[in-house]
Amino acid sequence: MINFTATYTDQYQLSMAQVYFENGQKEHPAVFDYYFRKLPFDGGYAIFSGLEDLLEILENLKFSEEDLAYLKDQNYSEAFLDYLKNFKFSGNIMAAKEGDVLFPNRPILQVEATIIEAQLIETILLNLLNFQTLIATKASRMRLVAKDSVLLEFGLRRAHGPGGYYASRAAIVGGFDGTSNVVAGKNFDIPVSGTMAHSFIQSYDDEITAFRAFSQVRPKDCVLLVDTYDTLKSGLPNAIKIGKEMEVLGEKLAGIRLDSGDLAYLARESRKMLDDAGLNYVKIAASNQLDEYVIKSLLEQNAPIDIFGVGTNLVTGDPDAALDGVYKLTASNGIPRLKISESLSKVTIPHKKQVYRLMNAKGELIGADAITMREEEEVSRIYDPQEILKSLPVKSYKTEVLLHLVMKNGKRTEESRSLKEIAAYSRERLDSLPMEYKRFDNPHIYKVGISKMLKKEREKLMKKYKK
Amino acid sequence: MINFTATYTDQYQLSMAQVYFENGQKEHPAVFDYYFRKLPFDGGYAIFSGLEDLLEILENLKFSEEDLAYLKDQNYSEAFLDYLKNFKFSGNIMAAKEGDVLFPNRPILQVEATIIEAQLIETILLNLLNFQTLIATKASRMRLVAKDSVLLEFGLRRAHGPGGYYASRAAIVGGFDGTSNVVAGKNFDIPVSGTMAHSFIQSYDDEITAFRAFSQVRPKDCVLLVDTYDTLKSGLPNAIKIGKEMEVLGEKLAGIRLDSGDLAYLARESRKMLDDAGLNYVKIAASNQLDEYVIKSLLEQNAPIDIFGVGTNLVTGDPDAALDGVYKLTASNGIPRLKISESLSKVTIPHKKQVYRLMNAKGELIGADAITMREEEEVSRIYDPQEILKSLPVKSYKTEVLLHLVMKNGKRTEESRSLKEIAAYSRERLDSLPMEYKRFDNPHIYKVGISKMLKKEREKLMKKYKK
């Protein structure tokens, strides 16, 4: 459906690659970290999404004939174009498990490859992971408040063009149950669903004729949209009539959908009318500019809504336009590298690294991840990378390794995980995170610290660069 | 690059289509309007973008073998699947010219097709037009304040996945000069450009070695990023050295890029240093979370910045997540249709229509568009569709037809317009719009009125439906 070639990148990646190539640096190894600095939605965590898509794309990434012809016209040298003709990504990738809960300023993924290869995949990596992680996080917030209600993603029409394809996938990672997006449903094996549009009802001379037509052709997934004329005076009485007609035919009306007005009030009145008519099995779906706050409010009011259909606010990540994920060089040609800044929060952390999650003896999270040098065996204390006076003794805690080798020499090390598996894993990880990190207002800040060895290395490099 | 098949849609479109099909309504003609209700960015206009892409996709839209196999598993009937096998869009489309300035609540595009065809293209139409129009509008706001400075789009890494592909295109429609996005550059014939990343400089042992390597391999487009270590103490002196070295080799340093700190101050100091060194031809580029407000402020401070590189805030449309464009049924099976609502602003306008732009004798815009029945010959007065007491005599004005037949029986009526042509047209249309509609704060409200005949038709239908 959506095919990526290696020109899905920023032009400067190619320019820099050419310089490395012509300068005899093309085999220089490099290490890059992917991480973000700020949690989206002023929340306490993010949900990692997009990794499977990225790995699949990287395994097959190359420049097409058309790409090479185009680049030739862009004044790249013959020798460099020859290199690009045979370009493939042959590096290693260490990554968090897709679906895991993430926190700022720790490596989510590390790329080890020749500097040209590492650079040429930067844009597509950021493009896919930043977006899906944003949307999976947004979806998970709705899942948190919706508890066991059904959540359906309906956002394709307001998504950012084909970005909607990945939004549908990320919504599932974050806890949604289905999508309206047929192509995403097909390619990612997501349950697809939908009801009917106002135009459908308007195209008939009256509402009940429209309802009846639908119920006869699609009796198995008949959810009637009841607000075209008047929800309680027309939509509900007509839906009830159809529900009764369906019973006679041995079918069951699946649901009604409310799409305007006061959803709490209308849901309660609709429930009453349906129950009074003996249609207590008919579900109530609601839509119309929903987000996590509206869903929370509706359920706090005990609105009897079984299914929430969420569109724009989910697939765009509104009010956050983007996750600020970055891709930073931490070693090249065997030498650790640092990006310095006047603000300690923007100084990178050098070297190949590992990340550990810390737990108490019962296996419960204590609220801290530790970043270490890749080969460090034991960490007794972690240090805040920004507040130099803050540290935490961690010797007594159990640890879980967070970065796994997912790609070796350009090949995936494991079978791809299904979306269902990733979503289930994410649910489990989010469940194990204490509630104070998940609340919407002023969530607890999860600690991310660096080992003493890493701290020393960073300080040494900072001194060197400051000279 | 990005291939669309007809499953790029919402599932309910297929369900409704099946009902129409099984009910003998598949040949029923329908008319749908595309329009939006609210201008993005609290602005006074929007820029229409995405039409060429939509038309190209519609001409080739079909269900693939894989799509059909999938839908078979989704319980659609054999007869309906046979219909889908031969599905193509064979309707007519009337549309505004891509690049034109748009205002709320007037048809931007009208689709006339069988109701199944019209319904099956709804999602892709909204998905493409809503997004590109949002981004082109955002871009045009930056163009307005940037005047003749160079504007480059650098947003792919933070765009919503492959939505970034169309964001790059829409940025050009709205007035940008180039993009960093190579595949968009290739496919849409957009100038591509870029500079270098901090990682490039860090990967060398010192800044000047990095600068020199780049200047030697890419002398024609050498823009040096000067803030990796210290902009004024290291980046500028090193850039000046390289500029001088390039002069000796008969080359010219193209520019420097500032990417952090106080851009106004740093630009001024950099300009001074470059000029003092005799490098007054070296351009200054600036980036780092720019948007129309920051660009405006920088230029009001007379910051000597020649080139602005804009990323996230452009390609995501932040702070507006989406344009609220809708697709509403206005006639089916020859009968005008209406969506009623308690709010007059949400009541649709029935019938096939035409839209006229009104001008005075000199051809200057008077600030009003008139919506009429398609065949009305003359309009003497227009009526506010929401405020029933407001009307405006318009007999004395010149008119320009705004909706053109762009697709007839599923085939485009004209050669596709190049992106350059569309961008030039858009610039011209925006130039002709008086400044009061373009200011950021409380812009003047452009009037959109309906003809007397249309008003009567709408009122008649409203009465009928209220019964």
Side-chain angles (χ1 to χ4, degrees), chain B residues 46-91:
Chain B
I47 297 289
F48 184 34
S49 182
L51 180 63
E52 285 292 331
D53 304 295
L54 176 68
L55 296 177
E56 190 183 320
I57 288 163
L58 291 185
E59 261 195 342
N60 301 296
L61 197 67
K62 60 179 188 173
F63 290 90
S64 69
E65 289 298 315
E66 193 185 294
D67 289 337
L68 293 165
Y70 171 73
L71 293 175
K72 194 167 177 174
D73 289 341
Q74 300 289 306
N75 290 316
Y76 291 96
S77 67
E78 281 295 334
F80 180 59
L81 290 170
D82 267 353
Y83 167 82
L84 293 184
K85 193 184 288 180
N86 299 309
F87 172 81
K88 59 189 240 35
F89 179 75
S90 62

Side-chain angles (χ1 to χ4, degrees), chain B residues 104-146:
Chain B
N105 298 309
R106 52 146 275 206
I108 297 163
L109 184 145
Q110 281 194 316
V111 173
E112 302 168 29
T114 68
I115 195 155
I116 295 186
E117 290 179 15
Q119 204 74 69
L120 285 178
I121 69 166
E122 174 181 9
T123 307
I124 199 165
L125 181 153
L126 291 172
N127 176 266
L128 291 171
L129 301 184
N130 281 340
F131 177 55
Q132 281 205 41
T133 298
L134 180 77
I135 302 307
T137 306
K138 185 76 174 175
S140 79
R141 291 162 63 82
M142 299 188 196
R143 172 48 67 204
L144 279 176
V145 293

Side-chain angles (χ1 to χ4, degrees), chain B residues 239-385:
Chain B
I240 287 167
K241 260 182 229 159
I242 297 299
K244 290 295 178 187
E245 289 178 16
M246 290 178 78
E247 284 183 347
V248 173
L249 300 168
E251 301 285 355
K252 282 186 165 179
L253 176 61
I256 61 155
R257 175 159 73 104
L258 307 168
D259 188 45
S260 57
D262 187 311
L263 297 175
Y265 167 76
L266 291 173
R268 219 172 344 256
E269 293 300 311
S270 301
R271 185 73 274 160
K272 224 180 293 171
M273 291 169 78
L274 290 166
D275 290 353
D276 287 350
L279 298 174
N280 57 355
Y281 56 83
V282 174
K283 303 269 190 245
I284 297 180
S287 51
N288 194 21
Q289 297 298 319
L290 301 182
D291 64 14
E292 64 268 48
Y293 297 97
V294 178
I295 294 172
K296 185 166 184 267
S297 162
L298 287 168
L299 292 178
E300 280 169 0
Q301 296 169 73
N302 294 314
I305 297 170
D306 307 289
I307 300 161
F308 295 92
V310 190
T312 315
N313 293 314
L314 171 59
V315 302
T316 62
D318 193 39
D320 278 9
L323 182 79
D324 74 346
V326 293
Y327 185 78
K328 295 289 177 189
L329 183 73
T330 62
S332 76
N333 208 17
I335 303 165
R337 306 283 177 176
L338 198 72
K339 166 83 175 77
I340 61 167
S341 166
E342 311 220 325
S343 157
L344 202 50
S345 70
K346 285 198 158 187
V347 176
T348 55
I349 302 169
H351 286 287
K352 292 186 192 176
K353 296 180 284 292
Q354 182 52 276
V355 185
Y356 295 93
R357 187 142 293 164
L358 302 175
M359 291 159 295
N360 65 18
K362 286 190 241 164
E364 295 161 346
L365 299 190
I366 67 142
D369 285 356
I371 310 173
T372 69
M373 304 273 283
R374 179 77 57 82
E375 281 78 23
E376 268 184 275
E377 298 261 314
E378 205 172 272
V379 188
S380 56
R381 183 174 282 275
I382 57 173
Y383 298 82
D384 190 306

Side-chain angles (χ1 to χ4, degrees), chain A residues 3 10-11 66 180 186 218, chain B residues 3 10 18 66 180 186:
Chain A
N3 305 311
D10 291 305
Q11 189 263 1
E66 192 185 295
S180 68
K186 171 170 82 70
R218 307 274 307 172
Chain B
N3 306 311
D10 291 304
Q18 190 192 357
E66 193 185 294
S180 67
K186 172 170 81 71

